[in-house]
Amino acid sequence: AQSVTQLGSHVSVSEGALVLLRCNYSSSVPPYLFWYVQYPNQGLQLLLKYTTGATLVKGINGFEAEFKKSETSFHLTKPSAHMSDAAEYFCAVSERGYQKVTFGTGTKLQVIP
Amino acid sequence: GAVVSQHPSRVICKSGTSVKIECRSLDFQATTMFWYRQFPKQSLMLMATSNEGSKATYEQGVEKDKFLINHASLTLSTLTVTSAHPEDSSFYICSASGFSGEKLFFGSGTQLSVL
């Protein structure tokens, strides 16, 4: 079975500050890991994904995440927050490629001017 | 990139009526489609998985007679909420993957409000 835990349902950062959204996963097999962003009343947009290979993954809009197997973590970071980053972010895991994805409960990011 | 179109984006209906939501893959053949439900301030919960030409596989706790899923072609899947009740009010999102199963694309979602 697979599961995802996102620490912190709400995170507030100042514009220009570091963004850190935490995600821990559980998986019985090597996982695929994802971060998605959701703007109000919209679907999900893939930010980045880890499948195999390099553990530091770069995504769109300046986001990146590092897969740490020893810590079962896949935290999302961005060096400098922008107002347009305000949205809800979901971490997700899959044990079968892109099928049967399990989502975390989401973290709402607020960016303060 | 691949596009998944979902309609309608918002629907309001009376209790007891049925609502159909469409999910179309516009530039690829979607062999597998997934339907999710998202309640306010909660995550997406997988409702069912459908493969083209086959019956949908429903997750535990999801009533298959209430949430009818049809995936009759490689570009279209529909979710029909039958005899909708206020507790069915939710955000429904579809996603689709192609033959290789290597990518997953999401629709923009449907906000269903049952009065």
Side-chain angles (χ1 to χ4, degrees), chain B residues 11-85:
Chain B
V11 59
I12 301 172
C13 69
K14 292 183 179 180
S15 184
T17 61
S18 294
V19 174
K20 180 182 284 188
I21 302 170
E22 289 190 351
C23 183
R24 293 181 184 272
S25 58
L26 297 185
D27 56 358
F28 70 103
Q29 293 181 319
T31 53
T32 306
M33 286 192 172
F34 306 87
W35 287 95
Y36 291 84
R37 179 170 51 185
Q38 184 182 28
F39 290 106
K41 301 183 180 180
Q42 296 186 28
S43 186
L44 284 77
M45 300 300 295
L46 180 65
M47 299 175 65
T49 302
S50 72
N51 292 296
E52 184 265 339
S54 303
K55 287 185 178 180
T57 301
Y58 291 81
E59 296 299 304
Q60 190 173 7
V62 178
E63 300 174 60
K64 62 181 180 181
D65 294 330
K66 181 171 187 60
F67 298 100
L68 301 179
I69 292 173
N70 182 285
H71 191 174
S73 78
L74 286 171
T75 58
L76 174 65
S77 176
T78 60
L79 168 67
T80 301
V81 183
T82 62
S83 187
H85 290 285

Side-chain angles (χ1 to χ4, degrees), chain A residues 18-105:
Chain A
L18 171 72
V19 176
L20 171 61
L21 304 183
R22 300 178 185 275
C23 172
N24 288 88
Y25 70 91
S26 172
S27 175
S28 57
V29 300
Y32 282 31
L33 294 161
F34 313 86
W35 275 100
Y36 286 89
V37 60
Q38 184 181 33
Y39 296 99
N41 297 320
Q42 294 187 27
L44 276 69
Q45 180 181 5
L46 180 66
L47 275 178
L48 49 80
K49 63 182 185 292
Y50 168 79
T51 55
T52 58
T55 56
L56 182 62
V57 180
K58 294 186 185 297
I60 62 172
N61 301 338
F63 284 94
E64 63 181 38
E66 186 171 10
F67 170 59
K68 292 188 176 180
K69 184 178 178 181
S70 61
E71 299 177 8
T72 60
S73 69
F74 191 58
H75 302 330
L76 181 71
T77 61
K78 181 174 180 178
S80 177
H82 191 273
M83 295 300 293
S84 61
D85 295 327
E88 189 148 23
Y89 293 80
F90 290 94
C91 182
V93 63
S94 172
E95 294 181 350
R96 294 192 287 152
Y98 290 80
Q99 310 286 309
K100 200 94 173 181
V101 178
T102 298
F103 289 86
T105 51

